[in-house]
Amino acid sequence: MMMWKERLFLYSRRRHLMKTTGYHIIKKFNKSEYMMRNLDYPISNIQNVYFSKGKLNQQIVKTNLLKNGYCIVRNTNLQNLFSTEVKCDTHGLYTDRYNICEITPSQLKQYIFGDNYENETMDYAFGTDKRPEYTKSILGVNDEVSPSNFVNFHNELAYTDEFPKIISFVCITPSLTGGYTPLSNVRTVYNELPNDIKEKLLKYGIKYVRNIRDKKSELSIKNNKIDIKGQKCWQDLFNTNDASEAESICRNIYKYDTQWLKCRTNNTPILRVMYNLPGFMTIQNDDETVATSFVNSLLGMHGSFFDSYDKYYETLPYIERPLHSLWGNGEEFTKEEIQTIKILYQQNSIRFEWKEGDIIIVDNLWWAHGRYPFFGNRKILALMGIPWKRQENPLYVKSINKI
């Protein structure tokens, strides 16, 4: 349940607003009430979170990933990864600058992804949202968008044909309250799925829908009522300003179904892309064992995320929101199916309170992740690597042929 400090903070914050502000501000604070409900999740069946002992190094990461599927290391000083201080001589004159953190960005990537890290790191080129990039392949997370919403569990980039085997998060600044990055064991989630959902996943897979806006058209609208902050437009995704070329890339390279629509508010063009992918993967692990995991972005892409996100998106049916997921045959997931999956994610999840300098390295095919709502400044770095291509996995090819 919600920690008592969080309840006290949220309650006192609400009382302060009631005493010192008018109705207008209290009305705006409704999203924080929504956040309180989101924070109040039931306790998982998994009670223990394993923290690695010793300093961050390549062997600790490798050992813990093989054993637990994740590795958490504290007291790394990585909050100062990009911080420097001035070095002066005995007379107080500037001589040089030096890094405060003893670990360099290159060493960090080597610890996480191995000695071949330069060829193993990935970017977020085909991701759904814009990410700040601090240096090559070290990104920020998109916390500016909807901090009052719970970001549903998902496997990073699992809505694409190539996604990372390993992801990592580094805490530069923890939020004042909330902001956890929970993990859920998708091997166990798959095993506990009801048979009817498993059968539908095998038969239909998942259809992903992305409604991608036109940057030029949206930016040309003065005082645009629609919040596109954080969203990628088709010019960003396909690296072209030619609409016909973008559509050709979708159809001929990615094999997506496409459709041009008009925004019902701005009358601006929207490129809708739709495609099917499996809802789970059977994977041969590094220790040569084979496991089936619930690897997907079914909840992460579901249009219900935009409830209480923005008043404009709340008025739209799920299929017209920026992202959505359906059964592969085009039918909507029922409320009961969505709730069943949410409960299984939560029952098989872990969470911990971020501290400055914490790092977590995660097997993206073993654990899904999400994000709790939060108050206060939050700065988390993200790294992704060891690309996993579906078509190069023989067990994947075998499963896709059944759909």
Side-chain angles (χ1 to χ4, degrees):
M1 301 296 284
M2 191 191 302
M3 299 177 185
W4 70 267
K5 289 183 179 179
E6 293 165 355
R7 287 188 179 278
L8 180 61
F9 172 80
L10 292 171
Y11 177 75
S12 61
R13 177 91 178 258
R14 180 172 52 177
R15 294 288 297 174
H16 173 72
L17 285 173
M18 291 177 69
K19 289 179 180 179
T20 60
T21 66
Y23 171 76
H24 177 68
I25 300 298
I26 294 172
K27 188 174 182 180
K28 284 179 67 177
F29 198 61
N30 282 344
K31 278 195 174 182
S32 298
E33 297 293 327
Y34 181 74
M35 173 190 161
M36 285 185 69
R37 293 195 298 273
N38 267 329
L39 272 174
D40 199 14
Y41 265 51
I43 295 175
S44 167
N45 290 334
I46 305 173
Q47 297 301 313
N48 295 321
V49 179
Y50 297 103
F51 293 89
S52 303
K53 297 179 180 179
K55 289 188 175 182
L56 178 66
N57 59 59
Q58 199 169 334
Q59 188 57 47
I60 279 183
V61 172
K62 186 176 181 179
T63 300
N64 280 274
L65 284 177
L66 191 61
K67 181 181 178 181
N68 302 315
Y70 67 88
C71 175
I72 307 174
V73 184
R74 310 206 109 147
N75 303 315
T76 65
N77 199 30
L78 284 170
Q79 70 270 23
N80 293 310
L81 184 63
F82 298 113
S83 300
T84 60
E85 283 190 354
V86 173
K87 186 176 182 181
C88 299
D89 61 18
T90 55
H91 302 289
L93 298 176
Y94 169 82
T95 59
D96 198 3
R97 300 188 73 91
Y98 66 94
N99 294 324
I100 297 176
C101 183
E102 60 274 17
I103 300 174
T104 67
S106 294
Q107 287 174 323
L108 176 62
K109 286 181 272 190
Q110 183 182 28
Y111 292 161
I112 298 171
F113 304 118
D115 294 335
N116 193 32
Y117 68 91
E118 289 186 348
N119 297 317
E120 296 284 15
T121 53
M122 297 176 64
D123 59 23
Y124 197 67
F126 206 63
T128 57
D129 52 355
K130 296 178 181 178
R131 301 280 181 98
E133 187 171 12
Y134 295 95
T135 187
K136 185 180 178 182
S137 66
I138 298 183
L139 309 172
V141 299
N142 195 7
D143 274 339
E144 293 182 7
V145 177
S146 196
S148 61
N149 275 35
F150 183 89
V151 176
N152 284 313
F153 286 103
H154 60 283
N155 300 91
E156 193 65 43
L157 290 174
Y159 51 86
T160 67
D161 278 328
E162 181 178 290
F163 48 91
K165 174 74 162 63
I166 302 298
I167 59 171
S168 180
F169 301 101
V170 179
C171 181
I172 305 298
T173 306
S175 54
L176 186 59
T177 189
Y180 319 116
T181 301
L183 305 179
S184 184
N185 188 328
V186 290
R187 295 181 181 180
T188 311
V189 170
Y190 173 79
N191 291 334
E192 295 179 359
L193 279 172
N195 286 334
D196 59 332
I197 293 181
K198 281 185 183 177
E199 290 169 3
K200 289 177 77 172
L201 283 170
L202 182 61
K203 184 176 181 180
Y204 300 122
I206 299 169
K207 184 184 292 293
Y208 294 107
V209 181
R210 297 176 70 170
N211 294 308
I212 311 169
R213 292 187 173 270
D214 181 281
K215 180 190 289 185
K216 184 177 179 181
S217 299
E218 296 298 339
L219 293 179
S220 68
I221 299 174
K222 191 175 182 179
N223 299 320
N224 195 338
K225 296 180 180 179
I226 299 174
D227 180 12
I228 64 168
K229 182 174 66 174
Q231 294 183 39
K232 285 186 178 179
C233 297
W234 58 259
Q235 290 93 334
D236 305 313
L237 283 168
F238 306 115
N239 198 29
T240 179
N241 292 316
D242 186 327
S244 60
E245 183 182 0
E247 186 173 13
S248 176
I249 291 170
C250 289
R251 289 183 173 277
N252 299 324
I253 297 179
Y254 294 110
K255 310 302 180 185
Y256 295 161
D257 293 328
T258 62
Q259 182 182 6
W260 285 100
L261 307 168
K262 288 285 186 180
C263 171
R264 60 173 71 191
T265 299
N266 290 343
N267 202 36
T268 49
I270 294 175
L271 175 60
R272 174 178 292 174
V273 300
M274 296 176 292
Y275 52 95
N276 286 20
L277 289 172
F280 57 87
M281 289 191 70
T282 301
I283 302 148
Q284 183 168 314
N285 302 304
D286 293 337
D287 61 0
E288 298 187 355
T289 60
V290 173
T292 300
S293 297
F294 189 60
V295 175
N296 57 65
S297 291
L298 188 161
L299 287 188
M301 294 277 280
H302 197 263
S304 59
F305 169 77
F306 294 91
D307 293 342
S308 299
Y309 174 95
D310 180 274
K311 63 182 179 181
Y312 167 75
Y313 293 124
E314 289 176 12
T315 65
L316 298 177
Y318 289 162
I319 193 69
E320 293 184 29
R321 298 181 183 190
L323 308 169
H324 191 38
S325 59
L326 307 153
W327 284 114
N329 63 355
E331 293 180 0
E332 294 279 357
F333 294 102
T334 66
K335 290 182 179 179
E336 292 76 18
E337 288 167 339
I338 291 292
Q339 189 61 21
T340 295
I341 293 168
K342 283 185 176 180
I343 290 172
L344 286 176
Y345 271 129
Q346 188 59 36
Q347 286 178 345
N348 294 287
S349 69
I350 60 172
R351 78 178 193 187
F352 64 97
E353 193 170 334
W354 280 117
K355 298 183 184 299
E356 274 191 355
D358 283 356
I359 180 171
I360 182 166
I361 303 102
V362 184
D363 185 330
N364 190 41
L365 306 183
W366 189 339
W367 295 85
H369 67 278
R371 189 213 67 195
Y372 274 74
F374 65 93
F375 281 128
N377 184 37
R378 179 182 190 263
K379 186 175 181 180
I380 305 290
L381 304 182
L383 298 89
M384 301 179 290
I386 309 183
W388 189 271
K389 297 181 180 180
R390 296 178 189 270
Q391 288 79 2
E392 294 179 3
N393 175 15
L395 296 176
Y396 162 77
V397 174
K398 183 178 179 181
S399 67
I400 192 66
N401 287 335
K402 296 180 181 179
I403 295 179

